[in-house]
Amino acid sequence: MMAVCHRYMGNQEDAEDVLQEGFITLFTKLESYQGSGSFEGWARKIFVNTALMHLRRTDALGLSDDIDQARSLFSEEATPLQKMGYKELMRLIESLPPDARTVFNMYVIEGYSHKEIAQELGCTEATSRSKLQRARVQLQDMINGKK
């Protein structure tokens, strides 16, 4: 679960705080686990929600960007990632701004839909899409050495 926390928080100290909060929540809600589905999936959802709550408390998400601003960041070029290793890619993802990193993690890694992301973060689906697009463009720029 530390890897999940680190992906959302972007630094070790905050990830450790969220990990601790997540385990407290997990242990206090353990009796609510019904046994249907995997325990790991149930636990992962607790840690993702704990990370999201932490980001909301610190107002790190800043979910008020204009969609037109996000469109201006769109790039037609697709950058191949074949030469990049997992650790390097994760380091780049961790360096994204908290709002873009959160939506990227939820959509690409955790498999949430834009509708689910919008519900969890209290934003619109369009905002979720724009944050994801901005994260992708920023990652492409970092991979291409532009940033």
Side-chain angles (χ1 to χ4, degrees):
M1 293 302 135
M2 182 61 175
V4 170
C5 296
H6 206 277
R7 274 199 317 269
Y8 280 90
M9 303 318 298
N11 67 64
Q12 188 70 22
E13 185 177 313
D14 288 341
E16 288 172 358
D17 289 345
V18 168
L19 183 70
Q20 182 176 355
E21 287 177 41
F23 273 116
I24 291 169
T25 303
L26 183 130
F27 288 125
T28 59
K29 295 185 182 247
L30 196 55
E31 70 279 352
S32 70
Y33 176 63
Q34 303 283 326
S36 60
S38 76
F39 181 77
E40 181 184 350
W42 179 79
R44 178 182 299 269
K45 187 156 186 118
I46 288 174
F47 285 91
V48 168
N49 287 334
T50 303
L52 294 176
M53 286 189 305
H54 182 81
L55 290 168
R56 280 187 203 116
R57 276 194 313 265
T58 60
D59 199 27
L61 296 176
L63 293 169
S64 61
D65 280 0
D66 188 283
I67 188 123
D68 293 329
Q69 180 184 9
R71 283 188 184 130
S72 70
L73 298 172
F74 181 72
S75 173
E76 294 286 330
E77 294 180 27
T79 305
L81 300 175
Q82 294 142 349
K83 294 183 180 181
M84 183 169 286
Y86 171 80
K87 287 182 179 180
E88 176 66 13
L89 181 58
M90 292 311 293
R91 187 187 64 72
L92 292 177
I93 292 169
E94 290 170 1
S95 70
L96 290 170
D99 57 337
R101 181 179 63 237
T102 299
V103 172
F104 184 86
N105 280 324
M106 291 179 79
Y107 187 83
V108 174
I109 297 174
E110 304 294 339
Y112 284 73
S113 69
H114 286 294
K115 183 177 182 177
E116 293 168 325
I117 294 169
Q119 289 171 346
E120 286 290 326
L121 301 181
C123 65
T124 65
E125 289 181 49
T127 299
S128 173
R129 286 186 189 92
S130 71
K131 296 287 183 185
L132 177 63
Q133 183 58 38
R134 182 170 60 166
R136 286 179 171 164
V137 169
Q138 288 174 328
L139 283 172
Q140 287 175 351
D141 287 347
M142 287 186 276
I143 291 167
N144 291 327
K146 294 180 184 176
K147 287 186 180 179

